[in-house]
Each structure stands twice: as C-alpha cells, then as structure tokens.
C-alpha cells in the first residue's frame, strides 16, 4: 500500500500497517542490505517492488529467472555486501543448483533467500513445502508468523548468516506475505562497504575444496542447533499443561486463536530443529500436538527424538489451515469444510481484448496439440477456447512438443507450444535451442505481450526498461530465435486472426522447427494496440451463429438469439473479423 | 471485531479495507487483515478479512464469527455464508454484476435475500453505487460504503476523514471525503 503522508509526517509514523511482503522489504532496508534480486512470482512479487519503490538505497533488479537471482546475490555477498534473493516456492527449484553448493562456500556479506510458498495453490502449479529445502541444503530457516516477525526475522536472518557463515532461508506462505498487520519500524543499519577479497579454497568448489568444506557444513548444523535452542524467536508460552502445541508460521496464529489457553512451543527457527527445547516442552505437557501446514516437517523431527505426538494423523496435509480446521482436529470432531451456497462463480479469464485469445484460437482451429506454459495464456485452458493441453512448469511446453515430435516422427501429428515472452526468457531459450539442435518438428508460438503480465506487469529483458524505470538494452527476440538455429520465423500481429490462422497453417506445413512471434502489448499496458472504445452488434445483420462467442471474450454476451457486446469491450476487433455476417463494427 | 468485505475486482475493496485497518490502528487497536491477490483479476470475486481488538492472532476470521459483512455486490454477499451467525450485521450495496455463466445465459442471477434471511434478519440494502454516481464519482463507491460502515464503529468521523486525507492523493481527496460523509448518512441502524 502506498501511503500519501503529508510532508514531515512519514518520519513520525513509527508504526505502520504492512503486508508480510512489505515488512520483509522493510527488514532488508533496516538490515542495511545493498543488493536484492528476484523473478516475479505470486505470492513473493511485492517484496522487490516495495524495495524498488520505497528503499532505493538498495540496488534492486528483476532477473530473467530465480537461478540468476540467487547467483547475482551471491556475487554481491562475496563482495562483502548484504544481499537478498527473492522467489516463490517453485522458483527455488530453478535456483536449487546454486542453493545446494552455496552452503559449502564462505559467506562474507549476509546472504538470505526468501521462499514464498503457496499452500492452497491460490496462484501456483503445486503446493510443495519448501521447508524441506532448508534441511536438504543444511541451512538455517526462519519462519515468521506475522508482518512484525517478517520484518524482524529478515533482519535477524542477516545476523545469523554472517555470524554462522551460512545462507539463511526465510520461508513465508501466501497468508503471511499477503496479510497485513502492525509493524514497529526501526532504524536502518549502516550498509557495509564492499571490498574485493580472494578466497579460492572456499569459493572454488572443485572436488578437493568441496570435500574439505563439507565437514564445515556438518559442524555448522550442530552450532545452529545450539542456536535454535537459545534464540529468542524459539519460545515457550507455558499455560495449561493438558494440551501442548508445537507450531510455526501462520499455523501458530490459527492454533492460538483456536486454543488460547494451551501451552505453546512457538518456533521462529524450526531448522535446525531445537531438540532440547522440544524434549523439555514435551515432558511438561500431557498431550502433544504439532500444528503445521502441508508436510509433517516438524512432526517427523519430533518423532525422530522418540517423542510421540499428534499431527498429520488428524490435521490435513493438503491446502491451507485455519482456526476451525485446527479446533476440530484437536477436539476430535470431524474436520468440516463448510459447503458454500451454490452460486454462479467468477473464474479468472483472459481480459477483453487480450492478444493471446486470437492466437490460441488460431492454433485450436488448426487442430494442433497445444503444449502450454505458465502465464495468463494458461487460462486458455478454459472453455470455450479449450486451447491448452499441458502446463507443467516454466519453460516446459516447448520441450513437450519436441519430445512428442521425436516419438511421432515427421508429419504424423500437428504439434505446437505456446510460451509468453517473460517465460521464454526465464527458461524457454534452452528448450528452443534444443528443438533447433535436435531438429524437432513443432510450431512454437512466443506470445510476446511486452511484459510479465500474470504477476502484474513487471519489466523484463525484452521491454528495454529496468525495475526502477531506467532505459536499458532491449532484447531482439527475432534475432535471438534465429541465433538459436531456427530458420523459419515469422513475427505477426495476432489481432489479425485470419492471418494468424494462415501463418499457423504454413508453419505446420514446414518440415522442421518453426517459430511464430505473436507480438502485441498486453491490454493492461498503456502501450496497448487497441482503440479502447467498445464495438457494437448490428442486430439486423446478426444471424445468431455464435462464431464470435467461440473466442470466449467477456465482452460478448448471447441473449435472445443474438450476440451483444457489453461495455468491457476495448475494440480489438477480433470478433468483427470473424463474424461471417459482417454484423460487428465500431459505428453500428 | 471481525469485518468481512466482499465484492468483485475493480470496486476498490482493497483500498477500503486498507483505510479501515489504518483507522482502527490509529484508534489504538491491534489490526490484522487478509486477502488474496494474484489471479483475482478484474471481475473476479474479492474478499477481505479485517480483524481488530486488543490483540489479534489469526488474520482469517473463524467461521461463524463475522460481526459485520460489508458487501459491495449483491451476489457476492451470499458466497461467504459460513462466516455468518445469527447476529451478523449485513450491509449490501445495491449493485449487480452478472457472472460469466449468467452473461452466457446458462444461469440466472440468483435472489440472495432468502439465503441470507436463513442466517439473520439484520440485513440492510443501501444505494451506495447510486449515491457515488449521483456525486459524479462512480469509482468512489468504496468510501461511500466506508462512510456507512463508520456509523457502526467506535472511531469518530474526524479520525476517518484525517486518515482518508492521509491515504488518498490530493486530487481525489475532496471528492472522497464528500462521498464518505454522504455514505455515513445512509441508514443501517
């Protein structure tokens, strides 16, 4: 939230309502962070946006993907500065390669990774529990349960990182990142001056060096375990001893709401696990429960200590929790999910005038199998377009089409893949390189809408503008595609839907890899290529054939056997071009 | 106190819940609020939980614990029945936006009042959208409804107006304060 405080007011306001994401950004500022990098991804996106907007002392940048984000942050840390890499849970998969070896290397400036998980899959393709990454990489992990803690823990993460020489992961979830609460603001620490040092034995991870560094990690985990037993963010709240609850993150708040009189072991640092604290707490309560979202991460560590407890035997493994689910689970009542009234839904859909719509229509009308990817165009899955056949992870669609083309052989099936511009730069380039190199026969459509639309229009290497609004180099997409070895490339304006169909047909007839760049700015951008004024239907000419309805535009309604255009129309004219009766126009 | 705000994307619900949260913080309460953004685009369902008291744990309102449901769109009011109880006060802005299936003629826009009356008789329909339109500021329906809501809460009008002045850019400040004051005159007692 942007606050328009009158001059002189902002400084006085030491208490502010912040989202978890805004609080993390504030924490980075107060910790004296010099460098922050991210690839946009819900629910993490607002962290870097806030840093760029409010804390310009920190250099911030959108990177093409999360692996780059973590690696550039590591570079800043090696130079002695405090550095932050931010990503959503599945982004950590992309950054997993540097993450797994990073703990072997020497930490100079504190290095912190924010992982924003998405229980309930509000805007993700899976609900993986990234706490496992902390144990996998053997690094410290902090888990805030409020906006205040999101700020405080981010600061503390940098202290732990430097004092123990470890990367630290701060793990949030959608309910922490996007919920708001009151935060006490603090002063910013001084930023560290960078300086060049050489530490080849600790930074060059050749087998001989890495072999020597591995025991360092194991010793560090032992030291961090001692820290976890004493750090104030791990605390006991002793009350009635009949029920003891071990919890962390937002689940702690839900459990407090449901059982305010129970005793709690509240873990702000659940990994490495504070064994001694847990043993002591368990010995003082009658019935022990572990309350956590998603996997039994803490529960398994409790049981590994030989302590019996309840947890996932009653508490659901899937979806997010809430106070009611926890109350029912612990009270032994059936866990009810109230059934909401049966009402017409409002599912997300592509915007009126979205340039993806006509391109997907052109592919579907050519009867292609359409391997999809991650972006707004994934919504083309929905009827009536019904034009996305796969969606696995960022960059996968091109590779699906290639793999299929190799097992089918030439000419047997019509194979296509769609991928957005930002997604292509994220992880589509290597797939297209492979398609060219191994001569797959598929039509790849790059939906170039000049932005990262799904997460709210962030800039990327193709837009020529940085996160801070500065002009920079703009990638030549057609030149890149050719340089990867693709000989058949066409750049088209997708609003010409008949032409789009014809170009797809031509590409399908080509014996080899073909790329169509479907280039038109997102309709939510100021640079959009639509007039912005609604079209209308001439009901004397409309035959009620429903061809226009088949593109699934929210501006088109069908009633009384005729098509109607409502006021959300932006005049893209795709329906007008398709109308066989010529009934749709601007001045009807 | 638990306030649930519901409606559709583009109605300014997030800003309204931001203002409510800020007012309650300045009033001396602990405040938490929760909503989902991301795939909820224009036209999608939007819901915001706002909770305030001496200390708030969960950012989510437990089922059956909503004190006031402020709904910006008629149909959306009925989507959150599990949060209501017999004494929940429901304020509904008289405004309908047809969902896609209604637009396509596959379903009809439902009459939600019988559903709500099953839970509570404390249902008030107000003409917030019409009032905002009359004031020449159709996008200001959110502050109009905040004005209405404010009559049910402790903080004085001056605190609301001061907060709105601080949070909104200068060029739309006066129009929104006017909307707020007029909204406060809509009767929901």
């Amino acid at each position: 939230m942007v606050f328009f405080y009158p001059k002189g007011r902002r400084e006085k306001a030491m208490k502010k309502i912040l989202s978890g994401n805004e609080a993390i950004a504030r924490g980075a500022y107060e910790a004296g962070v010099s460098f922050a990098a991210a690839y946009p991804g819900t629910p993490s996106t607002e962290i870097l946006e806030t840093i760029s907007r409010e804390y310009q002392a920190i250099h911030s940048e959108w990177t093409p993907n999360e692996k780059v984000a973590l690696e550039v942050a590591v570079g800043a840390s090696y130079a002695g500065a405090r550095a932050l890499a931010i990503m959503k849970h599945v982004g950590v998969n992309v950054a997993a390669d540097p993450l797994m070896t990073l703990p072997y290397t020497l930490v100079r400036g504190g290095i912190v990774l924010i992982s924003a998980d998405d229980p309930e899959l509000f805007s993700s393709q899976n609900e993986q529990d990234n706490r496992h990454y902390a144990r996998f990489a053997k690094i410290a992990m902090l888990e805030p349960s409020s906006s205040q803690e999101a700020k405080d823990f981010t600061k503390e993460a940098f202290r732990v990182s430097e004092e123990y020489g470890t990367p630290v992961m701060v793990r949030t979830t959608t309910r922490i990142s996007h919920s708001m609460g009151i935060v006490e603001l603090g002063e910013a620490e001084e930023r560290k001056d960078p300086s060049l040092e050489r530490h080849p034995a600790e930074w060059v991870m050749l087998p001989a060096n890495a072999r020597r560094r591995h025991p360092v990690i194991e010793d560090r985990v032992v030291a961090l375990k001692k820290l976890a037993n004493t750090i104030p963010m791990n605390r006991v709240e002793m009350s009635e001893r009949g029920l003891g609850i071990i919890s962390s993150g937002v689940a702690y708040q839900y459990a407090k709401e449901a059982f305010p009189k129970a005793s709690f072991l509240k873990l702000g640092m659940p990994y490495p696990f504070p064994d001694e604290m847990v043993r002591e707490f368990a010995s003082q309560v009658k019935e022990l429960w572990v309350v956590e979202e998603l996997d039994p991460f803490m529960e398994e560590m409790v049981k590994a200590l030989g302590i019996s407890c309840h947890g996932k035997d009653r508490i659901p493994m899937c979806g997010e929790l809430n106070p009611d689910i926890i109350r029912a689970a612990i009270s032994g009542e059936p866990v009810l999910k109230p059934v909401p009234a049966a009402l017409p839904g409002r599912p997300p859909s592509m915007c009126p005038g979205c340039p993806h719509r006509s391109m997907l229509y052109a592919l579907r009308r050519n009867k292609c199998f359409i391997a999809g990817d991650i972006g707004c165009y994934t919504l083309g899955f929905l009827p009536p377009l019904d034009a996305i056949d796969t969606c696995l992870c960022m960059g996968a669609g091109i590779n699906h089409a290639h793999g299929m083309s190799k097992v089918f052989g030439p000419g047997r099936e019509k194979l296509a893949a769609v991928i957005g511009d930002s997604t292509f730069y994220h992880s589509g380039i290597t797939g297209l390189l492979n398609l060219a190199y191994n001569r797959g026969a598929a039509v790849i459509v790059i939906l170039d809408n000049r932005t990262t639309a799904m997460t709210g229009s962030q800039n990327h290497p193709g837009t020529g503008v940085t996160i801070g609004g500065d002009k920079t180099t703009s990638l030549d997409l057609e030149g890149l595609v050719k340089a990867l070895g693709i000989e058949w490339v066409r750049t088209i304006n997708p609003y010409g839907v008949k032409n789009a169909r014809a170009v797809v047909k031509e590409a399908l007839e080509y014996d080899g890899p073909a790329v169509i760049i479907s280039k038109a700015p997102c309709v939510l951008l100021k640079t959009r290529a639509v007039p912005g004024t609604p079209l209308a239907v001439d009901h004397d000419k409309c035959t009620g054939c429903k061809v226009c309805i088949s593109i699934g535009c929210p501006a088109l309604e069908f009633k009384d056997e005729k098509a109607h255009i409502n006021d959300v129309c932006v005049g893209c004219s795709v329906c007008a071009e398709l109308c066989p009766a010529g009934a749709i126009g601007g001045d009807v | 106190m638990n306030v649930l705000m519901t409606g559709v994307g583009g109605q300014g619900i997030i800003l309204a819940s931001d203002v409510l949260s800020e007012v309650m913080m300045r009033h001396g309460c602990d405040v938490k609020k929760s909503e989902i953004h991301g795939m909820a685009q224009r036209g999608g369902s939007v819901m915001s939980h706002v909770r305030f008291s001496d200390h708030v744990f969960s950012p989510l309102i437990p089922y059956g614990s909503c004190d006031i449901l402020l709904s910006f769109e008629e149909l959306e009011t009925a989507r959150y029945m599990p949060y209501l109880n017999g004494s929940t006060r429901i304020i509904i802005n008289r405004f309908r936006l047809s969902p896609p299936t209604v637009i396509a003629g596959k379903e009809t826009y439902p009459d939600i009042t019988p559903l709500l009356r099953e839970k509570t008789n404390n249902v008030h329909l107000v003409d917030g959208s019409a009032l905002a339109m009359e004031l020449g500021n159709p996008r200001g329906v959110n502050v109009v409804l905040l004005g209405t809501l404010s009559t049910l809460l402790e903080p004085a009008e001056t605190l609301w107006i001061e907060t709105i002045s601080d949070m909104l850019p200068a060029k739309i400040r006066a129009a929104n304060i006017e909307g707020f004051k007029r909204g406060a005159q809509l009767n929901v007692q």
Side-chain angles (χ1 to χ4, degrees):
Chain A
M1 182 62 222
V2 185
F3 291 90
F4 296 88
Y5 284 104
K7 273 206 162 68
R9 186 96 183 233
R10 186 184 284 264
E11 290 70 31
K12 273 191 253 164
M14 293 305 283
K15 251 175 33 169
K16 257 181 132 176
I17 296 180
L18 299 179
S19 70
N21 281 349
E22 291 168 326
I24 288 169
R26 177 74 197 187
Y29 166 72
E30 291 183 10
V33 166
S34 297
F35 185 98
Y39 180 78
T42 312
S44 72
T45 312
E46 299 85 359
I47 300 172
L48 196 72
E49 287 180 327
T50 304
I51 289 175
S52 167
R53 191 180 62 234
E54 311 234 340
Y55 309 113
Q56 285 160 10
I58 302 173
H59 169 84
S60 58
E61 59 183 47
W62 292 128
T63 53
N65 68 30
E66 295 86 354
K67 179 178 180 325
V68 177
L70 181 54
E71 288 162 347
V72 292
V74 169
S77 156
Y78 283 172
R82 287 187 162 183
L84 185 64
I86 305 150
M87 53 202 70
K88 70 180 293 176
H89 60 336
V90 286
V92 181
N93 302 335
V94 178
D97 199 357
L99 178 62
M100 298 312 292
T101 305
L102 181 59
Y104 284 67
T105 73
L106 175 84
V107 169
R108 280 193 68 211
I111 175 88
V112 172
L113 167 71
I114 308 285
S115 166
D117 294 11
D118 191 19
E120 199 71 31
L121 302 103
F122 291 103
S123 198
S124 301
Q125 67 269 37
N126 77 22
E127 59 180 348
Q128 69 185 52
D129 187 334
N130 274 13
R131 295 178 299 170
H132 295 295
Y133 268 116
R135 185 158 53 178
F136 194 14
K138 306 188 181 190
I139 60 175
M141 187 253 297
L142 312 183
E143 207 182 0
S145 68
S146 65
S147 290
Q148 180 72 55
E149 288 187 352
K151 192 206 77 169
D152 295 343
F153 287 14
T154 302
K155 282 171 86 171
E156 185 69 358
F158 282 97
R159 187 187 70 79
V160 171
S161 176
E162 287 173 4
E163 202 172 312
Y164 289 81
T166 176
V168 178
M169 176 167 136
V170 176
R171 186 253 193 177
T172 78
T173 56
T174 305
R175 284 292 174 197
I176 294 298
S177 283
H178 284 179
S179 291
M180 307 189 86
I182 298 174
V183 178
E184 297 255 359
L185 306 186
E187 300 294 323
E189 291 173 29
E190 216 164 289
R191 277 178 297 141
K192 301 171 72 169
D193 268 337
S195 62
L196 193 62
E197 292 179 7
R198 296 182 69 233
H199 297 277
E202 290 83 25
W203 283 350
V204 182
M205 285 304 103
L206 284 164
N209 287 337
R211 213 172 281 129
R212 277 196 299 273
R213 292 292 296 176
H214 187 183
V216 175
I217 298 180
E218 301 304 333
D219 293 345
R220 189 194 297 146
V221 169
V222 173
L224 285 168
K225 210 178 241 305
K226 278 189 189 147
L227 173 70
N229 280 305
T230 55
I231 197 167
M233 68 172 66
N234 286 347
R235 64 169 189 262
V236 173
E237 297 167 2
M238 223 52 205
S239 185
E240 290 176 9
R241 288 164 192 250
L243 174 62
I245 296 174
I246 300 174
S247 193
S248 67
V250 78
Y252 160 79
Q253 305 286 5
Y254 298 152
K256 282 291 268 196
E257 183 88 29
F259 295 97
K261 290 178 182 166
S263 290
F264 278 80
L265 174 56
K266 198 275 189 194
L267 297 183
M269 180 177 170
Y271 192 82
F273 200 55
D275 297 349
E276 284 170 38
M277 262 188 132
V278 171
R279 279 204 187 91
E280 172 71 15
F281 181 72
S283 73
Q284 293 186 32
V285 296
K286 201 168 148 213
E287 188 175 310
L288 183 66
W289 280 76
V290 180
V291 176
E292 57 194 320
E293 277 180 331
L294 301 176
D295 295 346
F297 181 76
M298 296 187 293
E299 183 183 338
E300 284 175 357
M301 290 190 286
V302 170
K303 286 179 171 162
L305 296 173
I307 299 166
S308 64
C309 65
H310 289 288
K312 294 297 167 180
D313 52 334
R314 293 278 306 161
I315 297 169
M317 195 99 78
C318 307
E320 67 169 349
L321 300 177
N322 63 34
D324 301 281
I325 292 171
I326 293 166
R327 184 180 294 117
I330 295 182
S331 309
E333 296 157 10
V335 177
L336 293 176
K337 267 219 159 176
V339 185
L343 297 167
R346 298 184 194 273
S349 70
M350 287 188 288
C351 300
C354 174
H356 298 334
R357 183 175 286 109
S358 49
M359 201 60 232
L360 289 170
Y361 178 82
L363 288 164
R364 182 44 88 225
R365 296 295 289 175
N366 272 291
K367 299 189 165 49
C368 297
F369 182 91
I370 308 167
D373 225 293
I374 309 267
C376 291
Y377 44 92
T378 320
L379 296 169
F381 158 81
L382 296 165
L385 267 180
D386 188 21
I388 293 289
D389 291 312
T390 72
C391 170
L392 185 64
C393 63
M394 297 277 284
I398 295 173
N399 302 325
H400 295 164
H402 174 77
M404 286 182 164
S405 86
K406 284 295 157 187
V407 295
F408 285 133
R412 192 166 133 193
E413 301 290 346
K414 293 177 178 177
L415 301 171
V418 294
I419 183 166
D421 45 347
S422 185
T423 309
F424 181 68
Y425 305 139
H426 177 282
S427 48
I429 297 171
T430 44
L432 192 61
L433 178 63
N434 178 64
L435 184 83
Y437 172 56
N438 286 309
R439 304 311 289 169
V443 177
I444 309 304
V445 179
I446 302 173
L447 298 162
D448 183 9
N449 66 353
R450 320 299 300 149
T451 190
T452 316
M454 191 82 178
T455 44
S457 301
Q458 290 76 25
N459 280 299
H460 61 56
T463 65
V465 182
T466 68
I467 186 173
D470 296 325
K471 285 223 159 56
T472 179
T473 171
S474 174
L475 183 138
D476 168 11
L477 182 52
E478 196 171 309
L480 171 65
V481 169
K482 285 179 182 160
L484 291 172
I486 304 288
E487 285 148 20
W488 197 103
V489 190
R490 298 275 191 287
T491 298
I492 64 166
N493 173 358
Y495 288 122
V497 62
K498 285 181 181 165
N499 179 55
R501 264 182 83 170
V503 173
V504 170
K505 188 162 180 284
E506 196 189 332
L508 285 165
E509 284 161 3
Y510 178 71
D511 180 26
V515 169
I516 300 169
I517 299 170
S518 169
K519 186 172 178 179
C522 171
V523 284
L524 300 180
L525 296 179
K526 283 186 184 137
T527 52
R528 66 186 188 175
V530 293
T533 44
L535 302 179
V537 182
D538 181 342
H539 287 133
D540 293 335
K541 291 187 187 164
C542 176
T543 62
C545 72
K546 293 191 180 177
V547 166
C548 59
I549 303 292
S550 68
I551 62 172
C553 178
L556 282 157
E557 305 180 19
F558 195 77
K559 54 194 174 202
D560 307 324
E561 299 304 309
K562 301 280 182 189
H564 298 257
I565 291 178
N566 63 34
D567 62 0
V568 300
C569 174
V570 293
C572 77
S573 296
V574 171
C575 58
E577 191 182 330
L578 288 173
C579 178
I584 303 176
D587 299 304
V588 184
Chain B
M1 182 70 117
N2 299 318
V3 178
L4 193 60
M5 293 190 187
T6 66
V8 294
Q11 289 190 295
I13 292 168
I14 306 296
L15 178 65
S17 61
D18 281 343
V19 172
L20 171 61
S21 303
E22 181 76 15
V23 165
M24 295 320 300
M25 178 181 81
R26 293 185 186 190
H27 188 61
C29 292
D30 185 22
V31 183
K32 278 185 185 169
K33 104 167 174 139
S34 185
E35 69 237 344
I36 293 299
H37 16 121
M39 277 179 102
Q41 297 139 305
R42 296 183 300 176
S45 294
V46 174
M47 128 168 108
S48 181
H49 296 235
V50 185
R51 310 190 71 201
F52 42 92
S53 67
D54 293 343
H55 186 84
V56 180
F57 289 113
S58 165
L60 293 178
I61 298 172
Y63 299 134
S65 305
C66 172
D67 296 299
I68 301 173
L69 170 57
L70 180 65
S71 183
F72 287 50
E73 200 274 347
E74 293 176 39
L75 160 60
E76 292 305 309
T77 320
R79 214 181 283 286
Y80 306 101
M81 299 297 289
Y83 292 97
L84 312 184
N85 61 51
S87 51
T88 304
R89 188 186 294 263
I90 303 175
I91 304 169
I92 308 172
N93 176 39
R94 214 184 295 273
F95 173 75
R96 293 184 170 193
L97 184 75
S98 292
T101 48
V102 174
I103 286 177
K106 290 180 191 152
E107 288 180 278
T108 52
Y109 193 101
D111 179 11
I112 50 147
T113 30
L115 267 172
L116 297 174
R117 301 258 187 234
E118 273 175 33
K119 284 268 189 182
T120 171
N121 280 321
N122 211 343
V123 181
H124 307 265
L125 268 145
V126 296
D127 287 305
S129 287
L131 178 56
M133 194 77 86
E134 180 194 321
L135 295 170
N137 183 20
R139 289 177 59 91
V141 63
N142 54 355
V143 282
V144 167
L145 293 173
L146 272 183
T148 313
L149 175 71
S150 73
T151 62
L152 305 173
L153 300 173
E154 251 176 34
E157 189 188 66
T158 48
L159 180 61
W160 283 92
I161 289 174
E162 187 188 299
T163 307
I164 290 170
S165 299
D166 288 347
M167 291 178 73
L168 295 182
K171 59 178 177 183
I172 59 167
R173 203 171 281 155
N176 278 289
I177 290 169
E178 172 69 7
F180 177 86
K181 286 182 174 168
R182 293 289 299 274
Q185 289 161 12
L186 296 174
N187 185 20
V188 288
Q189 297 299 332

